[in-house]
Amino acid sequence: MQYPKPIMTIQELKELGFTDGYLRQMAHRRGQKYATRQSQSKKSTILFDTEKFEKERQKMLTR
């Protein structure tokens, strides 16, 4: 899948068809390297590195 930007928020990814629950589940997986918070606050925006996210998503689909 091609993403329009290299770093995207959950809201932007939802516009591409991903569900909120799926994105939050992926962001909170132990050991993941593709999602981070914009700041230390628990209410800050979660940012996804779309290249790393897509690699992990494809790896999970082939399992």
Side-chain angles (χ1 to χ4, degrees), residues 47-62:
L47 302 173
F48 280 79
D49 178 319
T50 55
E51 183 179 337
K52 292 178 183 178
F53 174 62
E54 183 61 19
K55 284 181 184 177
E56 183 63 24
R57 199 173 75 82
Q58 290 300 319
K59 189 187 314 181
M60 290 178 67
L61 290 173
T62 59

Side-chain angles (χ1 to χ4, degrees), residues 36-45 47:
T36 188
R37 291 204 180 268
Q38 194 168 14
S39 70
Q40 295 296 331
S41 169
K42 285 189 175 187
K43 293 188 178 191
S44 69
T45 303
L47 302 173

Side-chain angles (χ1 to χ4, degrees), residues 1 3-4 10-12 15 17 21 23-26 28-29 32 35 41-42 47-48 51-52 54 56-58 63:
M1 176 174 194
Y3 296 90
I10 285 181
Q11 193 62 35
E12 291 171 324
E15 291 173 8
L23 292 168
R24 291 187 187 281
Q25 178 184 3
M26 293 296 285
H28 291 97
R29 289 182 72 208
Q32 60 83 11
S41 169
K42 285 189 175 187
L47 302 173
F48 280 79
E51 183 179 337
K52 292 178 183 178
E54 183 61 19
E56 183 63 24
R57 199 173 75 82
Q58 290 300 319
R63 289 183 186 170

